[in-house]
């Protein structure tokens, strides 16, 4: 129970990585606010957590709108008295030749993957600054915020921006007892990614070959670090961008 009595918000908790982090946090004793766009999916995950004896609340949010994130943080604070952990996980991916990328698509990706992270940090910090206990923020970025991948201009630029925001805000708020860190995953086998693999649309063999550990990541590979960063055991860690990618971003040979 490493997160006993903590209150956490997880954005993008309706599926994939966010859903798994939310369930794991509840297992570790946290009260979890599941925030995403899909009310039905969120409600069923909240019920699952409650049925196992945990505490969960489902709230809809659009991370592109600062007032929407602000409302989620306010509701969390009014229901549970505070906010200890903010996971800015919601994101979209976009693969397209840069010369033809439409301004509206570029904008949509940046609004979700970069602006959404900033608004999430901002709203969380406003609450955490009002608490003596401070809090911790974890941004889920990507290895593609560290190294470049063709045809992913909006995604790479957003994730690199999220990594820089992580460092900048960590420095800005360190003295105020707020820690800000990022997890930068490599390819992770979520239901969505498995679906793409099943349709033969992801070159799994080439990805495995390019990865020093020789495999695609599983969602479980992210949960340990997500718990560690949220717990008091990482109390001197802030401003860190941690790749969890089987060595992909470290590798620079042939
Ligand atoms: N799966 C991977 O291989 C991988 C690799 C690196 C980084 N990531 C990052 O991890 C995060 C989660 O990815 P995933 O694979 O679980 O994706 P996913 O598509 O399975 O889930 C994304 C979640 O974000 C939510 N979301 C999207 N736009 C939103 C918005 N405007 N407002 C509120 N919620 C919104 C969706 O509803 C969903 O709940 C993303 O930031 C992604 O970039 C994923």
């Amino acid at each position: 129970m490493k997160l006993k009595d903590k209150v956490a918000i997880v954005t993008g908790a309706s599926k994939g990585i966010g859903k798994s982090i939310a369930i794991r946090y509840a297992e570790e004793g946290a009260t979890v606010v599941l925030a995403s766009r899909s009310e039905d999916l969120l409600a069923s995950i909240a019920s699952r957590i409650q049925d196992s004896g945990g505490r969960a609340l489902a709230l809809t949010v659009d991370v592109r709108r600062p007032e929407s994130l602000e409302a989620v943080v306010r509701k969390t604070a009014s229901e549970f008295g505070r906010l200890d952990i903010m996971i800015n996980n919601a994101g979209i991916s976009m693969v397209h030749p840069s010369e033809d990328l439409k301004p509206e698509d570029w904008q949509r990706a940046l609004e979700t993957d970069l602006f959404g992270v900033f608004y999430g940090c901002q709203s969380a910090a406003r609450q955490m600054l009002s608490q003596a206990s401070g809090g911790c923020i974890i941004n889920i970025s990507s290895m593609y915020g560290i190294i470049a991948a063709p045809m992913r201009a909006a995604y790479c630029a957003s994730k690199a921006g999220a990594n820089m925001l992580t460092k900048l805000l960590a420095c800005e708020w360190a003295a105020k007892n707020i820690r800000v860190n990022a997890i930068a995953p490599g390819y992770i086998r979520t239901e969505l990614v498995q679906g793409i693999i099943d349709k033969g649309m992801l070159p799994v063999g080439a990805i495995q070959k390019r990865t020093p550990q020789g495999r695609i990541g599983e969602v479980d590979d992210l949960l340990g670090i997500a718990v560690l960063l949220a717990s008091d055991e990482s109390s001197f860690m802030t401003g860190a961008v941690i790749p969890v990618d089987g060595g992909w971003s470290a590798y620079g040979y042939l």
Side-chain angles (χ1 to χ4, degrees), residues 13-14 34-47 57-61:
S14 68
L34 308 146
S36 198
R37 293 171 304 182
S38 164
E39 211 162 340
D40 294 351
L41 289 175
L42 290 177
S44 82
I45 300 162
S47 302
L57 174 69
L59 297 174
T60 52
V61 73

Side-chain angles (χ1 to χ4, degrees), residues 12-18 35-37 61-64 89-92 112-113 140-143 155 159 185-188 190 192-193:
S14 68
K15 47 189 167 170
I17 293 169
S36 198
R37 293 171 304 182
V61 73
D62 182 349
V63 298
R64 294 172 301 174
N89 163 77
I92 55 171
T112 310
D113 292 343
I140 307 298
S141 67
S142 168
M143 68 179 179
Y155 189 77
K159 295 297 187 180
Y187 284 97
I188 301 295
T190 58
L192 191 86
V193 168

Side-chain angles (χ1 to χ4, degrees), residues 30-123:
T31 295
V32 185
V33 176
L34 308 146
S36 198
R37 293 171 304 182
S38 164
E39 211 162 340
D40 294 351
L41 289 175
L42 290 177
S44 82
I45 300 162
S47 302
R48 180 175 156 185
I49 290 172
Q50 286 153 357
D51 291 348
S52 316
R55 282 215 299 178
L57 174 69
L59 297 174
T60 52
V61 73
D62 182 349
V63 298
R64 294 172 301 174
R65 295 176 39 233
E67 66 279 11
S68 181
L69 276 158
E70 193 67 28
V72 167
V73 171
R74 258 190 267 116
K75 178 77 177 161
T76 302
S78 70
E79 284 283 318
F80 304 115
R82 59 180 203 283
L83 171 64
D84 302 302
I85 306 159
M86 177 76 182
I87 311 292
N88 292 306
N89 163 77
I92 55 171
S93 63
M94 194 168 284
V95 181
H96 202 83
S98 295
E99 64 275 23
D100 292 331
L101 185 61
K102 294 194 182 93
E104 57 268 32
D105 289 335
W106 165 258
Q107 187 164 338
R108 186 164 53 90
L110 263 80
E111 279 179 353
T112 310
D113 292 343
L114 178 58
F115 296 11
V117 169
F118 182 64
Y119 300 145
C121 290
Q122 218 179 20
S123 295

Side-chain angles (χ1 to χ4, degrees), residues 1-3 20-30 32 48-49 52 54 223:
M1 296 293 248
K2 294 198 172 102
L3 305 179
S20 297
I21 290 178
I23 292 170
R24 181 61 186 275
Y25 276 14
E27 288 167 357
E28 293 286 351
V32 185
R48 180 175 156 185
I49 290 172
S52 316
L223 301 184

